[in-house]
Amino acid sequence: MKPYIPPPDKAITHRALLLAAIADGNTRVDNPSLCEDTLATAACLKKLGVGISASKNRLLVKGLGLGGLKKPTGTLNAGASGTTLRLLSGLLAGQDFDSAITGEDSLLKRPMSRVAAPLELMGAKIRLSGGRAPIYISGSALKGAAHRLTVPSAQIKSAILLAALYAQGATSITGRFRTRDHTERLLKHLGARISAAGLTIYLKPGRLKAKEIRVPGDLSSAAPFMAAACLLEGFRLTIKNVGLNPGRTGLVKILKAMGAKISVRKTHYAPEPAGDLTVLSSRLKGIRIRPGEVPAMVDELPLLALLAARASGTTVINGIGELKLKESDRIRATLALFMSLGLKAGAGKDSLVIKGPQTIAGGRAVDTFNDHRIAMTAAVGAILAAKPVKIKNPGCVKKSYPAFFKDFKKIFH
Ligand code: S3P
């Protein structure tokens, strides 16, 4: 079977665009993700005066330097992208102009005080709408601060780091758990004075220097393919050039601990580790997941629940309260998906308990709750189900992976 090449990483592309926009000089972003979310980031940056042009599988960003962004005419629109809205809030807090950011309905329901509060600690002037977007920012002089984060979120951390580039004095951020460090790696790549010790990151303000950025494949987009290859009889799939940032590879680690046959070949490292994965059809056994293991697979938990339903024994996934605040309430959406597929799971306050192995009956329509990750999990369920499964509103995958169903059908017919 031909290897599968996942689409470029969405999270890294957002950050590449945002940082290139304020670097000195022009940055070539190779293999950028072009999905609804990253296009929303590019559109916002264009409104801030940043020149972004596309040529074959590459974006060229004309960096304006730290002080070069222009006051946008009108409100910026982050679409349905939480990463765009939260990271832009950090970037815009320290500008010498005012701005406002809004988004689509689903984004307007998501909490934003988690990002406004630490920025306000640095002197940012932010007005929310009942704790949510639209968000109004009065550009102001910022000062460095020592942050302690209670929510394990790479978006909050990244917003603070972007603001910290503009602050007077150094900033530190201490988290309870490690989260994906794409922003830290790219900042370092572009010459920022950033370091880390244990769970604390230190950043001194300063200018960034443009440098080519190569984006690897998106592990979260590849995850449904990995799950399907594990669960189908006699399957073997090689996934080429996928990002292997340790803050993202939680599902690979957990699947291996569940007995999955996955081999990893690392191919390159700068600024992000990447490589090839070979996944063989495997017999899985249940597992217990601790809260500290959740951030490295935060977007793969509905998939893990489905994998657990096919594994023998009990799986307990603890510490998943954050899932209620994603594109949908993913605990509710996962339970609804289970019901539609004819599967059973128990839910606690922020945990799921799944006993396996169960058979997937199918035969019913599945609600995606307009959530791309639920639609992709449903696609894996559908190929394993005894009866056909109809997925409602499959177009929601455009948020992260427009060609998902085309690619999935190519490999799993
Ligand atoms: C992301 C971080 C995660 C993740 C989201 C993308 C990022 O969100 O769920 O899809 O790019 O930093 P949180 O920061 O809210 O955990």
Side-chain angles (χ1 to χ4, degrees):
M1 156 151 327
K2 271 199 180 158
Y4 160 64
I5 302 170
D9 192 278
K10 168 164 91 75
I12 298 171
T13 302
H14 281 300
R15 289 153 168 89
L17 294 175
L18 290 162
L19 292 174
I22 53 166
D24 296 318
N26 298 339
T27 297
R28 217 177 75 192
V29 181
D30 277 336
N31 195 35
S33 152
L34 300 174
C35 59
E36 282 182 355
D37 277 13
T38 50
L39 292 176
T41 293
C44 290
L45 287 171
K46 283 183 183 171
K47 280 195 140 201
L48 289 159
V50 183
I52 303 178
S53 53
S55 65
K56 209 170 170 279
N57 203 24
R58 158 175 311 168
L59 291 174
L60 186 74
V61 184
K62 292 197 171 155
L64 296 174
L66 264 198
L69 296 179
K70 310 265 180 312
K71 182 179 165 60
T73 47
T75 302
L76 299 170
N77 192 336
S81 172
T83 307
T84 306
L85 201 150
R86 295 193 176 116
L87 270 58
L88 259 187
S89 305
L91 179 64
L92 295 176
Q95 303 296 329
D96 56 7
F97 54 79
D98 299 349
S99 52
I101 321 170
T102 189
E104 283 174 16
D105 274 3
S106 65
L107 186 58
L108 300 185
K109 292 192 188 110
R110 298 178 68 184
M112 293 301 150
S113 33
R114 49 177 52 203
V115 72
L119 295 174
E120 282 163 351
L121 190 68
M122 302 170 80
K125 296 196 181 67
I126 293 177
R127 188 161 55 82
L128 298 174
S129 315
R132 300 173 204 285
I135 172 163
Y136 302 93
I137 303 168
S138 302
S140 39
L142 304 180
K143 53 186 188 314
H147 299 270
R148 277 196 168 271
L149 299 186
T150 46
V151 181
S153 160
Q155 292 180 353
I156 302 174
K157 175 178 69 175
S158 302
I160 297 171
L161 288 171
L162 284 163
L165 287 172
Y166 290 86
Q168 187 74 254
T171 289
S172 69
I173 309 170
T174 307
R176 276 170 59 218
F177 302 126
R178 228 174 270 286
T179 56
R180 58 184 74 184
D181 62 355
H182 302 310
T183 309
E184 295 92 306
R185 283 175 190 264
L186 277 180
L187 279 167
K188 197 168 192 158
H189 184 69
L190 301 178
R193 295 181 295 168
I194 186 163
S195 59
L199 290 170
T200 303
I201 302 154
Y202 302 90
L203 179 74
K204 290 185 183 145
R207 303 189 72 87
L208 305 177
K209 202 168 165 330
K211 191 170 176 190
E212 181 191 323
I213 298 167
R214 200 159 124 211
V215 182
D218 195 316
L219 189 67
S220 299
S221 297
F225 293 76
M226 201 159 80
C230 262
L231 294 177
L232 283 169
E233 280 292 319
F235 222 86
R236 178 198 175 93
L237 181 67
T238 297
I239 303 173
K240 293 289 257 192
N241 183 33
V242 66
L244 296 173
N245 183 303
R248 296 285 294 281
T249 48
L251 185 66
V252 178
K253 201 167 137 200
I254 293 302
L255 271 174
K256 281 185 169 181
M258 291 172 84
K261 291 176 225 148
I262 303 179
S263 56
V264 181
R265 195 174 70 89
K266 292 196 173 143
T267 51
H268 82 266
Y269 280 90
E272 285 281 345
D276 303 337
L277 298 177
T278 298
V279 186
L280 299 184
S281 155
S282 312
R283 273 191 206 295
L284 303 179
K285 53 184 191 303
I287 196 164
R288 235 191 142 77
I289 311 285
R290 286 175 283 109
E293 293 174 308
V294 165
M297 53 177 170
V298 66
D299 293 330
E300 284 70 69
L301 291 162
L303 263 179
L304 176 63
L306 184 69
L307 285 152
R310 295 291 304 137
S312 54
T314 302
T315 293
V316 183
I317 315 176
N318 285 308
I320 55 170
E322 275 295 300
L323 285 205
K324 294 178 192 152
L325 306 171
K326 298 293 174 190
E327 283 83 336
S328 68
D329 172 342
R330 283 194 186 147
I331 300 186
R332 222 183 109 219
T334 300
L335 291 173
L337 172 66
F338 265 50
M339 278 268 281
S340 309
L341 293 175
L343 295 170
K344 288 200 183 75
K349 201 168 111 301
D350 68 349
S351 63
L352 277 176
V353 181
I354 298 143
K355 293 195 173 123
Q358 303 179 41
T359 41
I360 303 182
R364 289 175 57 183
V366 166
D367 195 342
T368 54
F369 294 80
N370 199 27
D371 184 333
H372 56 147
R373 305 282 178 217
I374 299 297
M376 295 184 205
T377 305
V380 179
I383 55 166
L384 298 161
K387 291 193 197 136
V389 171
K390 180 175 170 359
I391 300 173
K392 292 188 204 166
N393 186 18
C396 61
V397 297
K398 284 194 250 156
K399 187 176 197 293
S400 60
Y401 188 172
F404 170 76
F405 283 104
K406 194 171 121 251
D407 289 357
F408 198 73
K409 275 186 200 135
K410 228 189 273 166
I411 292 182
F412 301 108
H413 310 294

